Amino acid sequence: MSVLTLKGPRWVTVRQHRRALWALPAAVAASLAVVVALRWWASLPSGLRSDNPDGPLRSAMDYAGKGMLFLPLLLGAFVAGPMIARELESGTYRLALTQSSTPRAWLASKITVAAVAAVAGSAALAGVYRLGWSPLDGTHQFSWPDRGPYEALGTVLVAYCLLGVTVGALVGQLVRRTLAAMAVTGLVTGLVMVLLGALRWSFLPVRTLTTSSAETGVPMPPSGAFMMDSGLTTASGERLPEWTCFARSGSLRVCPGDLNVTGWYVDYHPATHYWPTQSIETAVVLALAALALWAAFAVLRTRYR
């Protein structure tokens, strides 16, 4: 959708924020160039590079994964501040309302342009991240449940970006002060991400492995599984911390008889839980985004009816 095909408020919005909109494809292009260069460096013969070829790639992808977590906050803050609150604070929105444009069309143009940019930009950055992540798949801090890879490799990143846009549209109208609206939007979006990040592994029931004897040690879950908890089981079905036997006997595999330990247990999520968990979390985030969108237009109707 080029600027030439846009009309009315959407054309004005794109013209107003064209520099910021161009920043997204520029960031994607720069990220792609860096990832391609680092992968090329890692593929060189050992005589032409250092002994740790993945070192620079690993460091870059570690920062990239953490940076991707801030993308929804930045997008939401931009919508709340420069796109909406600044116009309300300065009064320039009145000019748009005098150009045969309704308040609803004014707000819809802001949200539409920001949403399209957010979806396209986050999806493209996620694709670049996957290109750099693939050689590191399964290594320390780059497994599928780790913060950063989990969000950037699935659909939740796009959903959180849309949430940031709609929360920004709501907060920008309520606060009507540029910097304050940006701060509040970033805080709200970040709190939602932290809360759902803490809850996501309770969306699906864990699978459990057990052993029939403490002497056999902790059972090993399948390759790629995400361990949630482990410990000892007793004859009554009670679960004890894994250090209980060691605290009493000095050995993990020798347990005092009065504890009635019958074996070990391990709770885990298999790798096949990744996409179902992503789907559930994405649905929850999109529902919250829809609620924020409805609230944004409800506030608009209240003020301009």
Side-chain angles (χ1 to χ4, degrees):
M1 183 170 63
S2 67
V3 176
L4 296 177
T5 63
L6 296 172
K7 296 180 180 179
R10 287 191 291 273
W11 182 86
V12 174
T13 300
V14 171
R15 286 288 298 174
Q16 283 179 317
H17 305 288
R18 59 188 181 277
R19 291 183 180 177
L21 293 173
W22 275 111
L24 273 176
V28 172
S31 301
L32 180 60
V34 170
V35 168
V36 170
L38 289 174
R39 290 202 57 173
W40 170 79
W41 171 259
S43 67
L44 289 176
S46 58
L48 299 178
R49 52 164 169 76
S50 64
D51 293 334
N52 184 18
D54 289 339
L57 179 62
R58 176 176 292 275
S59 297
M61 296 311 298
D62 183 39
Y63 285 117
K66 293 179 173 63
M68 297 280 269
L69 297 176
F70 287 95
L71 184 61
L73 283 66
L74 294 174
L75 290 170
F78 183 79
V79 172
M83 291 192 80
I84 294 179
R86 185 168 65 187
E87 290 199 19
L88 296 175
E89 184 179 13
S90 64
T92 55
Y93 73 98
R94 295 189 182 94
L95 178 61
L97 301 185
T98 63
Q99 305 298 316
S100 302
S101 179
T102 64
R104 182 181 179 86
W106 172 81
L107 180 61
S109 67
K110 307 289 186 184
I111 296 175
T112 300
V113 171
V116 170
V119 171
S122 59
L125 286 172
V128 174
Y129 181 86
R130 180 175 287 274
L131 178 64
W133 167 85
S134 57
L136 308 172
D137 180 14
T139 61
H140 179 60
Q141 295 183 332
F142 289 98
S143 297
W144 62 270
D146 291 327
R147 296 304 299 262
Y150 172 85
E151 289 84 0
L153 296 172
T155 55
V156 296
L157 179 67
V158 176
Y160 279 121
C161 288
L162 287 175
L163 176 66
V165 169
T166 55
V167 169
L170 173 61
V171 173
Q173 292 185 86
L174 293 175
V175 177
R176 301 170 72 93
R177 295 291 184 271
T178 303
L179 294 179
M182 294 174 72
V184 172
T185 299
L187 178 62
V188 172
T189 306
L191 286 176
V192 173
M193 294 180 70
V194 170
L195 177 61
L196 290 181
L199 295 176
R200 66 172 54 120
W201 302 119
S202 62
F203 293 159
L204 297 175
V206 296
R207 296 184 182 178
T208 303
L209 291 176
T210 60
T211 62
S212 58
S213 171
E215 286 77 14
T216 60
V218 182
M220 294 301 297
S223 176
F226 178 37
M227 289 183 59
M228 297 296 297
D229 190 22
S230 64
L232 300 161
T233 57
T234 68
S236 63
E238 181 184 3
R239 288 184 168 188
L240 300 175
E242 58 184 14
W243 45 262
T244 303
C245 291
F246 183 83
R248 293 279 300 274
S249 66
S251 172
L252 289 175
R253 299 191 180 189
V254 178
C255 296
D258 62 303
L259 292 177
N260 293 320
V261 171
T262 58
W264 289 83
Y265 74 91
V266 168
D267 293 335
Y268 69 96
H269 283 289
T272 54
H273 279 189
Y274 176 75
W275 282 111
T277 302
Q278 281 270 333
S279 300
I280 295 171
E281 187 171 354
T282 298
V284 172
V285 175
L286 290 179
L288 293 175
L291 180 61
L293 180 64
W294 174 86
F297 280 101
V299 170
L300 187 75
R301 288 193 299 271
T302 300
R303 289 186 170 171
Y304 296 99
R305 62 186 175 184

PDB file of all heavy atoms in Angstrom, residues 117-142:
ATOM      1  N   ALA A 117       1.911  -1.237   9.981  1.00  0.00           N
ATOM      2  CA  ALA A 117       3.363  -1.137  10.161  1.00  0.00           C
ATOM      3  C   ALA A 117       3.851  -2.098  11.238  1.00  0.00           C
ATOM      4  O   ALA A 117       4.913  -2.718  11.102  1.00  0.00           O
ATOM      5  CB  ALA A 117       3.742   0.302  10.525  1.00  0.00           C
ATOM      6  N   ALA A 118       3.075  -2.239  12.328  1.00  0.00           N
ATOM      7  CA  ALA A 118       3.472  -3.121  13.423  1.00  0.00           C
ATOM      8  C   ALA A 118       3.500  -4.576  12.986  1.00  0.00           C
ATOM      9  O   ALA A 118       4.445  -5.312  13.296  1.00  0.00           O
ATOM     10  CB  ALA A 118       2.520  -2.942  14.603  1.00  0.00           C
ATOM     11  N   VAL A 119       2.472  -5.010  12.267  1.00  0.00           N
ATOM     12  CA  VAL A 119       2.410  -6.404  11.813  1.00  0.00           C
ATOM     13  C   VAL A 119       3.526  -6.696  10.817  1.00  0.00           C
ATOM     14  O   VAL A 119       4.255  -7.690  10.940  1.00  0.00           O
ATOM     15  CB  VAL A 119       1.031  -6.705  11.197  1.00  0.00           C
ATOM     16  CG1 VAL A 119       1.034  -8.076  10.521  1.00  0.00           C
ATOM     17  CG2 VAL A 119      -0.056  -6.661  12.273  1.00  0.00           C
ATOM     18  N   ALA A 120       3.672  -5.827   9.818  1.00  0.00           N
ATOM     19  CA  ALA A 120       4.697  -6.062   8.799  1.00  0.00           C
ATOM     20  C   ALA A 120       6.095  -6.003   9.402  1.00  0.00           C
ATOM     21  O   ALA A 120       6.950  -6.855   9.119  1.00  0.00           O
ATOM     22  CB  ALA A 120       4.555  -5.039   7.679  1.00  0.00           C
ATOM     23  N   GLY A 121       6.349  -4.996  10.230  1.00  0.00           N
ATOM     24  CA  GLY A 121       7.681  -4.838  10.807  1.00  0.00           C
ATOM     25  C   GLY A 121       8.052  -5.954  11.756  1.00  0.00           C
ATOM     26  O   GLY A 121       9.163  -6.500  11.687  1.00  0.00           O
ATOM     27  N   SER A 122       7.134  -6.329  12.657  1.00  0.00           N
ATOM     28  CA  SER A 122       7.438  -7.387  13.628  1.00  0.00           C
ATOM     29  C   SER A 122       7.592  -8.737  12.947  1.00  0.00           C
ATOM     30  O   SER A 122       8.463  -9.531  13.324  1.00  0.00           O
ATOM     31  CB  SER A 122       6.349  -7.445  14.701  1.00  0.00           C
ATOM     32  OG  SER A 122       5.074  -7.706  14.136  1.00  0.00           O
ATOM     33  N   ALA A 123       6.759  -9.010  11.938  1.00  0.00           N
ATOM     34  CA  ALA A 123       6.885 -10.283  11.224  1.00  0.00           C
ATOM     35  C   ALA A 123       8.216 -10.363  10.473  1.00  0.00           C
ATOM     36  O   ALA A 123       8.872 -11.413  10.461  1.00  0.00           O
ATOM     37  CB  ALA A 123       5.711 -10.451  10.254  1.00  0.00           C
ATOM     38  N   ALA A 124       8.623  -9.253   9.865  1.00  0.00           N
ATOM     39  CA  ALA A 124       9.896  -9.246   9.136  1.00  0.00           C
ATOM     40  C   ALA A 124      11.074  -9.403  10.084  1.00  0.00           C
ATOM     41  O   ALA A 124      12.016 -10.160   9.810  1.00  0.00           O
ATOM     42  CB  ALA A 124      10.023  -7.955   8.330  1.00  0.00           C
ATOM     43  N   LEU A 125      11.040  -8.704  11.206  1.00  0.00           N
ATOM     44  CA  LEU A 125      12.126  -8.829  12.187  1.00  0.00           C
ATOM     45  C   LEU A 125      12.172 -10.234  12.773  1.00  0.00           C
ATOM     46  O   LEU A 125      13.256 -10.763  13.044  1.00  0.00           O
ATOM     47  CB  LEU A 125      11.942  -7.798  13.292  1.00  0.00           C
ATOM     48  CG  LEU A 125      12.265  -6.348  12.914  1.00  0.00           C
ATOM     49  CD1 LEU A 125      11.860  -5.405  14.031  1.00  0.00           C
ATOM     50  CD2 LEU A 125      13.749  -6.179  12.594  1.00  0.00           C
ATOM     51  N   ALA A 126      10.999 -10.848  12.961  1.00  0.00           N
ATOM     52  CA  ALA A 126      10.964 -12.225  13.455  1.00  0.00           C
ATOM     53  C   ALA A 126      11.607 -13.181  12.450  1.00  0.00           C
ATOM     54  O   ALA A 126      12.308 -14.128  12.832  1.00  0.00           O
ATOM     55  CB  ALA A 126       9.530 -12.640  13.751  1.00  0.00           C
ATOM     56  N   GLY A 127      11.371 -12.937  11.156  1.00  0.00           N
ATOM     57  CA  GLY A 127      11.997 -13.766  10.137  1.00  0.00           C
ATOM     58  C   GLY A 127      13.510 -13.632  10.134  1.00  0.00           C
ATOM     59  O   GLY A 127      14.237 -14.622   9.994  1.00  0.00           O
ATOM     60  N   VAL A 128      14.001 -12.409  10.308  1.00  0.00           N
ATOM     61  CA  VAL A 128      15.445 -12.188  10.382  1.00  0.00           C
ATOM     62  C   VAL A 128      16.013 -12.859  11.628  1.00  0.00           C
ATOM     63  O   VAL A 128      17.087 -13.477  11.587  1.00  0.00           O
ATOM     64  CB  VAL A 128      15.753 -10.679  10.394  1.00  0.00           C
ATOM     65  CG1 VAL A 128      17.245 -10.448  10.622  1.00  0.00           C
ATOM     66  CG2 VAL A 128      15.319 -10.032   9.085  1.00  0.00           C
ATOM     67  N   TYR A 129      15.291 -12.743  12.743  1.00  0.00           N
ATOM     68  CA  TYR A 129      15.763 -13.379  13.979  1.00  0.00           C
ATOM     69  C   TYR A 129      15.862 -14.896  13.796  1.00  0.00           C
ATOM     70  O   TYR A 129      16.828 -15.517  14.246  1.00  0.00           O
ATOM     71  CB  TYR A 129      14.818 -13.057  15.128  1.00  0.00           C
ATOM     72  CG  TYR A 129      15.258 -13.656  16.441  1.00  0.00           C
ATOM     73  CD1 TYR A 129      16.153 -12.994  17.271  1.00  0.00           C
ATOM     74  CD2 TYR A 129      14.804 -14.914  16.839  1.00  0.00           C
ATOM     75  CE1 TYR A 129      16.585 -13.556  18.467  1.00  0.00           C
ATOM     76  CE2 TYR A 129      15.221 -15.486  18.024  1.00  0.00           C
ATOM     77  CZ  TYR A 129      16.110 -14.803  18.832  1.00  0.00           C
ATOM     78  OH  TYR A 129      16.542 -15.373  20.004  1.00  0.00           O
ATOM     79  N   ARG A 130      14.875 -15.488  13.156  1.00  0.00           N
ATOM     80  CA  ARG A 130      14.912 -16.942  12.944  1.00  0.00           C
ATOM     81  C   ARG A 130      16.128 -17.337  12.115  1.00  0.00           C
ATOM     82  O   ARG A 130      16.739 -18.389  12.349  1.00  0.00           O
ATOM     83  CB  ARG A 130      13.624 -17.402  12.258  1.00  0.00           C
ATOM     84  CG  ARG A 130      13.560 -18.894  11.987  1.00  0.00           C
ATOM     85  CD  ARG A 130      12.220 -19.296  11.412  1.00  0.00           C
ATOM     86  NE  ARG A 130      11.172 -19.255  12.410  1.00  0.00           N
ATOM     87  CZ  ARG A 130      10.886 -20.263  13.240  1.00  0.00           C
ATOM     88  NH1 ARG A 130      11.596 -21.388  13.189  1.00  0.00           N
ATOM     89  NH2 ARG A 130       9.905 -20.150  14.102  1.00  0.00           N
ATOM     90  N   LEU A 131      16.495 -16.527  11.152  1.00  0.00           N
ATOM     91  CA  LEU A 131      17.665 -16.821  10.323  1.00  0.00           C
ATOM     92  C   LEU A 131      18.929 -16.864  11.171  1.00  0.00           C
ATOM     93  O   LEU A 131      19.791 -17.735  10.973  1.00  0.00           O
ATOM     94  CB  LEU A 131      17.797 -15.753   9.225  1.00  0.00           C
ATOM     95  CG  LEU A 131      18.997 -15.891   8.295  1.00  0.00           C
ATOM     96  CD1 LEU A 131      18.907 -17.174   7.470  1.00  0.00           C
ATOM     97  CD2 LEU A 131      19.082 -14.679   7.356  1.00  0.00           C
ATOM     98  N   GLY A 132      19.047 -15.950  12.120  1.00  0.00           N
ATOM     99  CA  GLY A 132      20.227 -15.950  12.976  1.00  0.00           C
ATOM    100  C   GLY A 132      20.166 -16.975  14.085  1.00  0.00           C
ATOM    101  O   GLY A 132      21.202 -17.471  14.539  1.00  0.00           O
ATOM    102  N   TRP A 133      18.948 -17.298  14.516  1.00  0.00           N
ATOM    103  CA  TRP A 133      18.774 -18.235  15.631  1.00  0.00           C
ATOM    104  C   TRP A 133      19.002 -19.687  15.217  1.00  0.00           C
ATOM    105  O   TRP A 133      19.458 -20.504  16.035  1.00  0.00           O
ATOM    106  CB  TRP A 133      17.369 -18.067  16.199  1.00  0.00           C
ATOM    107  CG  TRP A 133      16.918 -19.137  17.122  1.00  0.00           C
ATOM    108  CD1 TRP A 133      17.145 -19.240  18.463  1.00  0.00           C
ATOM    109  CD2 TRP A 133      16.127 -20.297  16.766  1.00  0.00           C
ATOM    110  NE1 TRP A 133      16.556 -20.367  18.969  1.00  0.00           N
ATOM    111  CE2 TRP A 133      15.926 -21.039  17.949  1.00  0.00           C
ATOM    112  CE3 TRP A 133      15.579 -20.769  15.571  1.00  0.00           C
ATOM    113  CZ2 TRP A 133      15.190 -22.226  17.967  1.00  0.00           C
ATOM    114  CZ3 TRP A 133      14.852 -21.943  15.583  1.00  0.00           C
ATOM    115  CH2 TRP A 133      14.673 -22.656  16.776  1.00  0.00           C
ATOM    116  N   SER A 134      18.693 -20.039  13.993  1.00  0.00           N
ATOM    117  CA  SER A 134      18.696 -21.449  13.583  1.00  0.00           C
ATOM    118  C   SER A 134      20.018 -22.176  13.849  1.00  0.00           C
ATOM    119  O   SER A 134      20.004 -23.338  14.272  1.00  0.00           O
ATOM    120  CB  SER A 134      18.293 -21.576  12.107  1.00  0.00           C
ATOM    121  OG  SER A 134      19.142 -20.811  11.284  1.00  0.00           O
ATOM    122  N   PRO A 135      21.211 -21.566  13.660  1.00  0.00           N
ATOM    123  CA  PRO A 135      22.441 -22.300  13.995  1.00  0.00           C
ATOM    124  C   PRO A 135      22.629 -22.503  15.493  1.00  0.00           C
ATOM    125  O   PRO A 135      23.442 -23.346  15.905  1.00  0.00           O
ATOM    126  CB  PRO A 135      23.560 -21.414  13.424  1.00  0.00           C
ATOM    127  CG  PRO A 135      22.891 -20.468  12.494  1.00  0.00           C
ATOM    128  CD  PRO A 135      21.516 -20.269  13.023  1.00  0.00           C
ATOM    129  N   LEU A 136      21.926 -21.731  16.314  1.00  0.00           N
ATOM    130  CA  LEU A 136      22.080 -21.804  17.767  1.00  0.00           C
ATOM    131  C   LEU A 136      20.950 -22.573  18.429  1.00  0.00           C
ATOM    132  O   LEU A 136      20.918 -22.686  19.661  1.00  0.00           O
ATOM    133  CB  LEU A 136      22.120 -20.384  18.353  1.00  0.00           C
ATOM    134  CG  LEU A 136      23.134 -19.422  17.728  1.00  0.00           C
ATOM    135  CD1 LEU A 136      22.932 -18.027  18.272  1.00  0.00           C
ATOM    136  CD2 LEU A 136      24.549 -19.905  17.981  1.00  0.00           C
ATOM    137  N   ASP A 137      20.038 -23.106  17.647  1.00  0.00           N
ATOM    138  CA  ASP A 137      18.856 -23.791  18.162  1.00  0.00           C
ATOM    139  C   ASP A 137      19.233 -24.878  19.169  1.00  0.00           C
ATOM    140  O   ASP A 137      20.062 -25.747  18.884  1.00  0.00           O
ATOM    141  CB  ASP A 137      18.095 -24.409  16.994  1.00  0.00           C
ATOM    142  CG  ASP A 137      16.838 -25.139  17.444  1.00  0.00           C
ATOM    143  OD1 ASP A 137      16.412 -24.956  18.598  1.00  0.00           O
ATOM    144  OD2 ASP A 137      16.269 -25.875  16.621  1.00  0.00           O
ATOM    145  N   GLY A 138      18.629 -24.807  20.353  1.00  0.00           N
ATOM    146  CA  GLY A 138      18.827 -25.826  21.366  1.00  0.00           C
ATOM    147  C   GLY A 138      19.999 -25.589  22.288  1.00  0.00           C
ATOM    148  O   GLY A 138      20.160 -26.311  23.271  1.00  0.00           O
ATOM    149  N   THR A 139      20.825 -24.583  22.016  1.00  0.00           N
ATOM    150  CA  THR A 139      21.957 -24.298  22.891  1.00  0.00           C
ATOM    151  C   THR A 139      21.501 -23.420  24.057  1.00  0.00           C
ATOM    152  O   THR A 139      20.360 -22.964  24.106  1.00  0.00           O
ATOM    153  CB  THR A 139      23.081 -23.600  22.115  1.00  0.00           C
ATOM    154  OG1 THR A 139      22.592 -22.351  21.600  1.00  0.00           O
ATOM    155  CG2 THR A 139      23.540 -24.460  20.949  1.00  0.00           C
ATOM    156  N   HIS A 140      22.417 -23.167  24.981  1.00  0.00           N
ATOM    157  CA  HIS A 140      22.082 -22.418  26.191  1.00  0.00           C
ATOM    158  C   HIS A 140      21.489 -21.054  25.851  1.00  0.00           C
ATOM    159  O   HIS A 140      22.059 -20.286  25.082  1.00  0.00           O
ATOM    160  CB  HIS A 140      23.345 -22.242  27.043  1.00  0.00           C
ATOM    161  CG  HIS A 140      23.118 -21.465  28.300  1.00  0.00           C
ATOM    162  ND1 HIS A 140      22.229 -21.866  29.278  1.00  0.00           N
ATOM    163  CD2 HIS A 140      23.660 -20.301  28.730  1.00  0.00           C
ATOM    164  CE1 HIS A 140      22.233 -20.988  30.263  1.00  0.00           C
ATOM    165  NE2 HIS A 140      23.091 -20.025  29.953  1.00  0.00           N
ATOM    166  N   GLN A 141      20.317 -20.755  26.419  1.00  0.00           N
ATOM    167  CA  GLN A 141      19.572 -19.511  26.249  1.00  0.00           C
ATOM    168  C   GLN A 141      18.945 -19.357  24.871  1.00  0.00           C
ATOM    169  O   GLN A 141      18.381 -18.299  24.565  1.00  0.00           O
ATOM    170  CB  GLN A 141      20.450 -18.290  26.546  1.00  0.00           C
ATOM    171  CG  GLN A 141      20.894 -18.214  28.007  1.00  0.00           C
ATOM    172  CD  GLN A 141      21.694 -16.958  28.291  1.00  0.00           C
ATOM    173  OE1 GLN A 141      22.349 -16.410  27.410  1.00  0.00           O
ATOM    174  NE2 GLN A 141      21.654 -16.503  29.535  1.00  0.00           N
ATOM    175  N   PHE A 142      19.023 -20.388  24.040  1.00  0.00           N
ATOM    176  CA  PHE A 142      18.423 -20.308  22.713  1.00  0.00           C
ATOM    177  C   PHE A 142      17.494 -21.491  22.444  1.00  0.00           C
ATOM    178  O   PHE A 142      17.292 -21.878  21.295  1.00  0.00           O
ATOM    179  CB  PHE A 142      19.504 -20.224  21.633  1.00  0.00           C
ATOM    180  CG  PHE A 142      20.232 -18.915  21.619  1.00  0.00           C
ATOM    181  CD1 PHE A 142      21.458 -18.782  22.253  1.00  0.00           C
ATOM    182  CD2 PHE A 142      19.682 -17.806  21.010  1.00  0.00           C
ATOM    183  CE1 PHE A 142      22.126 -17.572  22.264  1.00  0.00           C
ATOM    184  CE2 PHE A 142      20.349 -16.582  21.017  1.00  0.00           C
ATOM    185  CZ  PHE A 142      21.567 -16.467  21.647  1.00  0.00           C
TER     186      PHE A 142
END
